[in-house]
Amino acid sequence: MDTLALEAKATGQEKKSSAPRPRPKPPKKAKRIVYFEVEIVDAKTKEKLLLLDKVEPTSTILDIKALFHKSNPQWYPARQSLRLDPKGKCLKDEDVLQTLPVGTTASFYFSDLGAQIAWGTVFLSECYGPLLIYLMFYFRLPFIYAPKYDFSSSKHWVVHLACMCHSFHYVKRILETLFIHRISHGTMPLRNIFKNCSYYWCFAAWMAYYINHPLYTPPYYGQQQVKTALIIFLFCQVGNFSINITLRNLKCPGSKVKKIPHPTKNPFTWIFALVSCPNYTYELGSWMGFTVMTQCLPVAFFTIVGFVLMTVWARGKHRNYRKEFRDYPTLRSPILPFIL
């Protein structure tokens, strides 16, 4: 029996060894990469600045800017603007070369955006200035009012309350800039810091001068007016903070993908059902409350100018939302529900 088993086993092995082996698959041919030739031309003079050979099709505009920066160190990527047409729109850094309407030989028109500065730096400068300037007037430092009022304190409690509200507003903005806001644009022109800071700093000085003036007169309707205005101010500050948190949660760190903001479980965000930029709506409400609280003309003027500027910004964002998202809610207005 053992002998028969061994013979059967040997016969089976012979059959297996005689079976034809599968032929190995031929190696796949490597895909041929079609490289691009990129020409960078000055948008004003039409002078050829650089010719890049063998640029990979998956390269982004940011990659091309980096290559251009190597040859021209004075123009760092944030300072560069590249267009397909001298008068066209700037290409985004994340645009991929092979997805653009160009052939294998692409021409980009370069413009110098000038010296750049980080958005965060500008935002912080806008906030630190008004915060410190207002406190200088509140403590009545020398050379602001008459010498006899140096380092004196106002007898009106609304003056102290206004200082707390003003300081709270700008401290809140500083903390939001540091820990909450996710700014999609990395830089802005350096000249903007002077323009923006002049706006905020000068208005802060103008408001603070009159609110903290020794001859300041409290609101006409007294405590009732001040308390009502304080409730409006605090309500809108909490609303503005809630909106900023919601907008932050829409973006992942480092991502530039835009999404439609929607109301959440937080009641302060329900205004998203009617408004595209409720952060501006709440900001306007805060300054309206501060205007009523102080009953000060410079504050009212600052609120009006701010409303005009925020309306322009809100309309621009509302327009972009409608262009980018076909299913964008049609009921929404830019800044004021059903009005504006």
Side-chain angles (χ1 to χ4, degrees), residues 43-308:
K44 292 182 179 179
T45 63
K46 304 300 185 293
E47 177 188 356
K48 185 186 293 184
L49 300 176
L50 182 67
L51 180 64
L52 298 171
D53 192 19
K54 289 189 176 181
V55 180
E56 293 187 1
T58 56
S59 300
T60 63
I61 294 299
L62 184 60
D63 295 331
I64 296 173
K65 287 182 178 180
L67 294 173
F68 183 59
H69 174 53
K70 288 182 180 179
S71 301
N72 300 272
Q74 72 274 25
W75 292 317
Y76 45 89
R79 188 166 179 160
Q80 301 174 32
S81 169
L82 296 180
R83 299 178 172 88
L84 294 176
D85 185 82
K87 296 182 180 179
K89 292 184 178 180
C90 295
L91 295 171
K92 298 178 181 178
D93 286 347
E94 59 270 22
D95 287 341
V96 181
L97 182 59
Q98 63 183 0
T99 62
L100 297 175
V102 295
T104 53
T105 302
S107 295
F108 294 109
Y109 294 90
F110 163 79
S111 296
D112 183 9
L113 297 176
Q116 299 289 299
I117 188 172
W119 276 81
T121 304
V122 177
F123 288 160
L124 291 175
S125 301
E126 291 174 358
C127 298
Y128 277 118
L131 178 63
L132 298 176
I133 289 171
Y134 194 100
L135 292 175
M136 289 170 57
F137 285 88
Y138 174 74
F139 290 111
R140 294 178 179 173
L141 299 184
F143 309 108
I144 295 178
Y145 302 112
K148 64 178 180 179
Y149 296 115
D150 290 351
F151 299 107
S152 60
S153 180
S154 176
K155 62 181 179 180
H156 304 298
W157 69 279
V158 65
V159 173
H160 306 297
L161 180 63
C163 180
M164 288 188 286
C165 290
H166 188 274
S167 300
F168 173 80
H169 173 74
Y170 281 103
V171 169
K172 167 183 164 292
R173 285 188 58 178
I174 291 171
L175 294 176
E176 288 176 341
T177 301
L178 292 173
F179 303 109
I180 295 178
H181 291 316
R182 286 176 177 159
I183 304 169
S184 56
H185 300 285
T187 61
M188 66 189 302
L190 179 62
R191 62 182 179 273
N192 284 13
I193 193 172
F194 303 104
K195 179 180 65 176
N196 293 16
C197 288
S198 298
Y199 168 73
Y200 285 102
W201 293 17
C202 291
F203 263 115
W206 191 24
M207 291 187 294
Y209 177 82
Y210 284 99
I211 296 174
N212 298 285
H213 198 281
L215 302 179
Y216 171 76
T217 304
Y220 182 79
Y221 292 103
Q223 292 189 10
Q224 188 62 38
Q225 179 176 337
V226 174
K227 289 179 180 178
T228 303
L230 177 62
I231 293 172
I232 295 172
F233 176 84
L234 293 177
F235 178 87
C236 291
Q237 286 289 288
V238 175
N240 180 268
F241 177 76
S242 300
I243 297 300
N244 289 334
I245 291 292
T246 303
L247 293 175
R248 179 185 185 276
N249 294 336
L250 283 179
K251 292 182 179 179
C252 297
S255 174
K256 294 186 178 182
V257 178
K258 293 183 179 180
K259 299 178 182 178
I260 301 176
H262 291 286
T264 65
K265 294 180 180 179
N266 184 346
F268 287 97
T269 66
W270 294 352
I271 192 175
F272 266 125
L274 301 174
V275 173
S276 293
C277 302
N279 51 326
Y280 295 150
T281 309
Y282 282 123
E283 182 78 5
L284 173 63
S286 295
W287 284 109
M288 289 178 66
F290 194 72
T291 302
V292 175
M293 180 193 302
T294 58
Q295 198 171 294
C296 183
L297 185 60
V299 181
F301 190 69
F302 176 73
T303 302
I304 293 171
V305 174
F307 172 60
V308 173

